[in-house]
Amino acid sequence: MGLFSEDIIREIQSRVDIVDLIADYVKLKKSGENYVALCPFHSEKTPSFTVSPKKQLFYCFGCGTGGNVFTFIMKKENLNFPEAVRFLAEKYGLEIREYDDAISDSFRLKREIYNINKIAADFYTDVLHNKYEGEKAKDYLKSRGIVIQTIEEFSLGYAPSNWDSLYNFLVKKGIPPELIFQAGLIIAGRVKGSYFDRFRDRIIFPIKDIYGHIVGFGGRVIGEGEPKYLNSPDTPVFSKGSILYGLDKIKKEEGNGILLVEGYMDVISLFQSGFKRAVASLGTSLTETQAKLLKKYTDEVIIAYDMDLAGRNATMRGLEILKKEGLNIRILTLPEGKDPDEFIQRYGRDEFQKELHNSKSIIDYLIKMEAEKLDLNNSTNRLKFIKKAVQILSEIVDEVERNFYIDKLYKDYEIPKNILIKALTGKNTGNIPEIGLKYKNSQFRNNNKELLRKHSPVKSLNDSIYMAEREFLKILLNDPENCKKGAIKLLPIYFLYKNHREIFNVIMDLVKNGEVLSREKIFLAISDKQEIASEMAKLLMESESVQKEENIEKLVLKIKKNYLRFAMKQLKERIKKAETIGEYNKVLNLLNYYQKLRKEMELLNDKFTEKGGM
């Protein structure tokens, strides 16, 4: 692209491991030499997304998206190439000063807000630890059992009670009020041009993304006051429904399930007690975006919301959203309706571990909730409960699991098995109101439908043409400089498949410019062409071809022959059409061209025979 030196690009590629990078976005599983995952670019139930640590490439065999570290970040973060370069450089600690003009205004604004948030967080932290005003905040945290190491781990701070402490501090740093406002740290006053701090007299919880960027803040009032918790508003870098508090800690901790809690203090208290895989949905109902984030890091979620009415309603909504993402779900119901922080403070770590071990499956939880609504000593209520239980069990597809719960209902609630079996046998679950939790009977999918529709070739072409072009490009891409001699005997027009032609055209442009060919240079040249980058990634992810000179020569001849055969067929159709409408001059010109192509074909046939054919 010419915007960054090759040294910078090469340095980034040497620093960034594609497996580590992509693991920040999806949960990767080892599969032979490669890693596989559910694709982050389209919805699927069975993994078709592959990452190769050896080749430093990714490719999805479902939707056809592929490329290297730059193309992944461009696609995932919706960045152009210069922005992707800067994004990766900053993430991996490389300083880049050149070509700021290539950075979009929105990208530049995000970087500025990250910087302002970092300065603000340092200000809040300094007040907590070093100013007299921060003493009461430290006392409050101490009363909640939070130790100094945990305070530092989560970069907790304190916002002074003054109306404009942070505002004045940032302005003195030379930061324009408009930018501070866009970061969500101040609120506009009634008088034009006046501002006051959003967070005042509150414990401050910096909210970080998976890279450790501070994207926003939460503030908890000390003592009386409303609202009890206050979050940053939506900004260019923060949306409350798109992030989970504590997620930056999750990716550093090995483990299976993730605890989903409501608040900041729950996450902090759990972390301090050794339960380091906990995240909070920032006091809001779980969103689909947050559920997708969880899916990247785990297959199992344990919901540990408060068990008051609001918490139970939030749990039910969370069940449906998490189930849609295919996650295994358990529900932790703590005694006396306590939240995890309260429970740990009162009963300690070991008791919480026991409760966690006894967390309930979805079916157990739903049945328990129905039982608690009713007095089961009343026959009318008991009948209502049995009907509800049958409704819940009818959504279990697996027969073994269903029989397990029939036994359990008999043991726990003394409901005769024959009544449950009779009610469930032959029951048409389509007549039962859906509660959004049923597993699909079939996971059948064909991820390639979209891909085939998008990349299907011209009807008159065939597999042998496709394979010849593909085999040649694989050899060329795996050893571009050594195979250049064969490549220069071809023209881009000889490639009948559009994506093959585009890749070869880029390679020839590099050759014309006297470049030493390499895979990295070719990728760099197509960095802003996502479809072509994906095609190149697919070629490189396929098994490597044997790179022999005679193979290249045969493939060059075959590709030329395929082109000539196709071109002659097209010419015949055009000649026939021109004859039909009486354009005889055009017919004569087309015939002359046809004869020229036929002679070329005869010469190639002779060479092809000499080479031994294919």
Side-chain angles (χ1 to χ4, degrees):
M1 297 254 322
L3 289 170
F4 294 97
S5 70
E6 281 187 39
D7 288 342
I8 289 172
I9 302 300
R10 202 176 294 114
E11 177 67 15
I12 291 171
Q13 287 179 316
S14 68
R15 289 273 195 102
V16 181
D17 179 75
I18 197 165
V19 175
D20 291 340
L21 176 70
I22 294 177
D24 284 339
Y25 294 86
V26 295
K27 185 180 180 184
L28 294 171
K29 291 183 179 178
K30 195 84 165 69
S31 178
E33 287 187 345
N34 299 327
Y35 290 83
V36 297
L38 294 175
C39 181
F41 303 118
H42 82 287
S43 180
E44 63 178 358
K45 298 293 184 184
T46 305
S48 59
F49 183 83
T50 302
V51 183
S52 169
K54 180 182 176 183
K55 299 175 182 177
Q56 289 294 297
L57 296 171
F58 74 94
Y59 185 76
C60 176
F61 291 91
C63 67
T65 301
N68 59 7
V69 290
F70 297 110
T71 46
F72 180 85
I73 286 298
M74 287 168 67
K75 178 85 172 171
K76 191 64 188 152
E77 297 289 344
N78 194 26
L79 304 176
N80 62 32
F81 180 71
E83 290 167 355
V85 171
R86 190 170 288 280
F87 179 98
L88 290 170
E90 289 179 355
K91 175 174 168 57
Y92 289 89
L94 290 169
E95 191 172 343
I96 295 182
R97 296 188 181 278
E98 54 190 304
Y99 300 109
D100 260 355
D101 290 343
I103 304 300
S104 68
D105 289 341
S106 63
F107 185 78
R108 188 177 289 108
L109 176 60
K110 287 180 180 179
R111 286 170 55 210
E112 288 172 339
I113 290 176
Y114 289 143
N115 184 51
I116 292 168
N117 284 345
K118 177 66 171 66
I119 295 170
D122 289 343
F123 169 81
Y124 293 136
T125 299
D126 182 62
V127 173
L128 177 69
H129 290 288
N130 302 316
K131 301 291 189 291
Y132 174 75
E133 299 159 285
E135 289 300 319
K136 67 174 181 178
K138 278 195 285 190
D139 289 342
Y140 172 80
L141 290 169
K142 186 178 179 181
S143 74
R144 297 291 296 266
I146 306 302
V147 300
I148 190 67
Q149 291 90 339
T150 306
I151 290 171
E152 291 173 353
E153 177 71 34
F154 284 86
S155 306
L156 303 186
Y158 173 67
S161 56
N162 295 343
W163 284 82
D164 53 7
S165 297
L166 178 67
Y167 173 69
N168 289 334
F169 176 80
L170 294 176
V171 168
K172 284 178 183 176
K173 291 273 186 184
I175 300 170
E178 296 77 17
L179 270 178
I180 306 171
F181 180 78
Q182 284 182 288
L185 292 166
I186 55 175
I187 298 170
R190 291 181 181 179
V191 178
K192 188 176 180 180
S194 68
Y195 297 94
F196 58 92
D197 293 351
R198 179 176 297 277
F199 300 103
R200 301 183 308 280
D201 194 19
R202 289 177 180 270
I203 303 286
I204 295 296
F205 304 87
I207 302 166
K208 298 179 182 180
D209 64 15
I210 56 173
Y211 304 112
H213 295 135
I214 298 172
V215 295
F217 298 90
R220 190 202 191 283
V221 71
I222 297 177
E224 301 300 319
E226 291 294 334
K228 184 178 177 181
Y229 283 96
L230 179 68
N231 290 315
S232 292
D234 282 358
T235 72
V237 301
F238 178 72
S239 173
K240 193 163 65 169
S242 301
I243 198 161
L244 293 159
Y245 182 71
L247 193 63
D248 58 307
K249 310 290 183 194
I250 287 293
K251 67 172 189 161
K252 300 173 186 174
E253 297 294 333
E254 292 297 323
N256 296 316
I258 289 178
L259 273 162
L260 176 63
V261 297
E262 285 188 39
Y264 306 104
M265 289 302 296
D266 291 322
V267 171
I268 291 169
S269 184
L270 285 165
F271 188 93
Q272 183 174 279
S273 299
F275 303 97
K276 297 188 175 183
R277 289 177 62 81
V279 296
S281 51
L282 301 178
T284 62
S285 296
L286 190 76
T287 65
E288 288 185 12
T289 303
Q290 289 171 327
K292 290 179 189 300
L293 272 175
L294 285 167
K295 180 65 177 173
K296 294 172 184 176
Y297 296 95
T298 188
D299 294 321
E300 182 179 67
V301 173
I302 302 106
I303 301 177
Y305 287 161
D306 297 359
M307 279 297 109
D308 56 13
L309 181 60
R312 291 186 182 196
N313 289 337
T315 297
M316 288 303 297
R317 287 192 296 270
L319 285 176
E320 296 185 20
I321 291 168
L322 292 168
K323 203 60 176 175
K324 284 179 185 175
E325 292 303 315
L327 286 156
N328 298 320
I329 308 159
R330 298 190 68 80
I331 301 92
L332 178 62
T333 56
L334 295 172
E336 304 169 38
K338 293 189 179 300
D339 61 35
D341 175 41
E342 292 172 329
F343 187 91
I344 287 172
Q345 282 191 63
R346 181 162 182 180
Y347 299 107
R349 181 193 188 285
D350 292 343
E351 287 301 312
F352 184 82
Q353 181 66 65
K354 289 177 187 176
E355 294 292 337
L356 191 58
H357 180 74
N358 293 325
S359 57
K360 301 181 184 304
S361 69
I362 293 177
I363 302 299
D364 280 328
Y365 176 76
L366 293 174
I367 290 171
K368 182 174 183 288
M369 290 300 101
E370 293 300 333
E372 289 180 355
K373 291 177 187 176
L374 303 165
D375 175 9
L376 297 184
N377 293 317
N378 178 291
S379 57
T380 303
N381 287 343
R382 191 168 178 78
L383 183 59
K384 284 181 183 177
F385 173 69
I386 292 171
K387 287 181 178 179
K388 279 287 186 180
V390 169
Q391 180 180 324
I392 292 166
L393 264 58
S394 68
E395 295 208 10
I396 302 174
V397 175
D398 185 80
E399 189 176 346
V400 173
E401 185 182 358
R402 187 187 289 189
N403 287 335
F404 170 82
Y405 282 106
I406 289 172
D407 285 340
K408 204 166 188 301
L409 278 165
Y410 169 68
K411 290 172 185 175
D412 294 348
Y413 300 99
E414 297 180 348
I415 301 173
K417 293 182 188 179
N418 63 321
I419 290 177
L420 294 171
I421 292 168
K422 187 174 180 181
L424 288 165
T425 301
K427 192 169 183 62
N428 179 4
T429 57
N431 296 327
I432 299 171
E434 287 283 352
I435 57 173
L437 302 172
K438 186 186 292 183
Y439 287 98
K440 291 181 180 177
N441 285 314
S442 172
Q443 296 276 325
F444 175 80
R445 66 181 183 100
N446 186 347
N447 280 331
N448 289 322
K449 284 182 180 176
E450 181 186 352
L451 182 63
L452 291 170
R453 189 164 56 247
K454 191 190 295 183
H455 300 294
S456 56
V458 180
K459 286 181 183 178
S460 56
L461 304 186
N462 58 48
D463 286 346
S464 67
I465 296 173
Y466 177 80
M467 292 309 296
E469 293 181 2
R470 204 158 191 82
E471 193 70 11
F472 177 81
L473 286 174
K474 278 196 278 185
I475 293 172
L476 182 58
L477 290 171
N478 277 299
D479 192 3
E481 186 60 23
N482 289 333
C483 299
K484 186 163 65 176
K485 187 169 68 173
I488 59 176
K489 297 177 182 178
L490 293 171
L491 297 172
I493 196 173
Y494 291 168
F495 290 82
L496 302 180
Y497 282 78
K498 176 179 172 289
N499 285 351
H500 296 169
R501 185 165 60 250
E502 291 272 3
I503 291 170
F504 188 74
N505 194 43
V506 167
I507 293 169
M508 286 298 97
D509 283 344
L510 292 172
V511 171
K512 287 174 190 174
N513 292 331
E515 300 275 2
V516 176
L517 288 182
S518 70
R519 188 186 299 180
E520 289 73 22
K521 279 189 179 178
I522 299 167
F523 254 122
L524 186 59
I526 60 173
S527 56
D528 57 348
K529 301 173 183 176
Q530 181 61 59
E531 186 177 334
I532 308 307
S534 294
E535 188 67 42
M536 181 169 161
K538 186 182 180 185
L539 282 162
L540 288 166
M541 291 287 274
E542 291 172 1
S543 58
E544 296 180 9
S545 302
V546 179
Q547 297 178 24
K548 292 183 179 178
E549 190 171 342
E550 56 265 32
N551 284 6
I552 297 171
E553 288 296 315
K554 287 178 182 178
L555 285 166
V556 165
L557 289 172
K558 188 164 188 179
I559 289 167
K560 283 183 178 179
K561 283 187 68 175
N562 288 337
Y563 166 73
L564 289 171
R565 196 178 290 115
F566 179 75
M568 289 167 70
K569 184 179 179 182
Q570 295 292 309
L571 276 172
K572 278 184 178 180
E573 291 174 2
R574 291 176 66 189
I575 290 166
K576 187 176 180 181
K577 186 176 178 182
E579 284 177 334
T580 303
I581 59 177
E583 292 184 340
Y584 297 111
N585 285 335
K586 188 174 183 180
V587 169
L588 187 60
N589 288 332
L590 291 172
L591 279 170
N592 286 334
Y593 189 44
Y594 181 85
Q595 291 301 325
K596 182 182 175 183
L597 293 183
R598 195 175 75 171
K599 285 180 180 178
E600 285 187 41
M601 178 66 90
E602 287 171 357
L603 288 171
L604 282 178
N605 281 334
D606 291 341
K607 285 185 181 179
F608 205 60
T609 303
E610 289 171 17
K611 295 286 180 186
M614 276 191 82

